[in-house]
């Protein structure tokens, strides 16, 4: 067993997501590890929007989503002193993109928020579950509070 | 976010399980947290045995499984200086028992080994996935090596 060297924070910008970021930062400090951050804009969400009647409107909305996500990512990354070249914003299937980014950048620990069991997550499993299922490295699922 | 205070190691005694125990111990040291250990003998395995023709034989085998598990648990717990009253050996559904023990003992982090995706785990999800799905606390899934 070696110390963690590169921790990847899978950020979701939810109300309780800050605790996940704090845990990732804390572990990076304890292990003197590099801390990176990623956020994936779910393409199911953007595809959903594409089914709406006005394509032009939806295109703007998708771009707006990305711009908003970029803004959130920058703020969070700045707050935790994560350098520009260790920030990844993507559109896609969140679990697969998180796993891909972790592999491509040799992260040895993914830190991700984990929601309570309700709604769709109860049936389909959460992103955290999907990441755990597919990741080749360790995964820390931080239970989000006030969420059950 | 507060420091972890009580880490529960879900031990599986597999060939690579030692790395999981080492990670749990390491985190307990870093966080000055209490470290406990549990192992669940899967009741599906013991039930499978009950379908064999000789019940008397199977009963012995189940008792033997428990005795063997107790032996493994003691050795591992001794190795990591886990006191007697922080060791739990149970028969049942592993994911549900691990989650129950974590809750009953106010563990705030479960450390568990995570196997690669193959065989039944690919279809049904691993114990680690089940624990993550049901746990009310954080879960660290340690990827077992040479397992994919």
């Amino acid at each position: 067993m070696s110390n963690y060297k590169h921790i990847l924070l899978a950020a979701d910008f939810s109300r309780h997501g800050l605790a996940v970021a704090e845990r990732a930062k804390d572990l990076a400090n304890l292990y003197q590890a590099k801390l990176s951050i990623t956020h994936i804009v779910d393409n199911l969400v953007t595809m959903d929007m594409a089914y709406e009647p006005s394509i032009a409107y939806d295109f703007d909305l998708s771009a707006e989503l990305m711009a908003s996500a970029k803004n959130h990512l920058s703020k969070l990354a700045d707050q935790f002193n994560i350098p520009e070249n260790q920030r990844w914003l993507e559109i896609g299937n969140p679990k697969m993109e998180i796993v891909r980014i972790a592999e491509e950048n040799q992260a040895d620990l993914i830190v991700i928020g984990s929601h309570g069991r309700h709604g769709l997550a109860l049936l389909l499993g959460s992103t955290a579950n999907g990441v755990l299922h597919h990741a080749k490295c360790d995964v820390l699922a931080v239970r989000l509070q006030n969420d059950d």
Side-chain angles (χ1 to χ4, degrees), chain A residues 94-109:
Chain A
K95 65 174 180 288
M96 301 315 285
E97 288 299 301
I98 292 166
V99 167
R100 178 184 66 76
I101 288 167
E103 281 181 34
E104 285 182 8
N105 297 282
Q106 288 92 46
D108 43 17
L109 175 66

Side-chain angles (χ1 to χ4, degrees), chain A residues 5-42:
Chain A
K5 292 180 185 68
H6 186 188
I7 295 174
L8 177 65
L9 165 62
D12 69 0
F13 314 139
S14 72
R15 194 156 61 92
H16 303 291
L18 199 62
V20 185
E22 285 173 351
R23 179 64 69 197
K25 180 68 177 178
D26 191 44
L27 284 166
N29 287 343
L30 287 170
Y31 281 107
Q32 296 288 300
K34 185 165 82 171
L35 179 63
S36 298
I37 188 170
T38 186
H39 176 79
I40 315 300
V41 175
D42 194 328

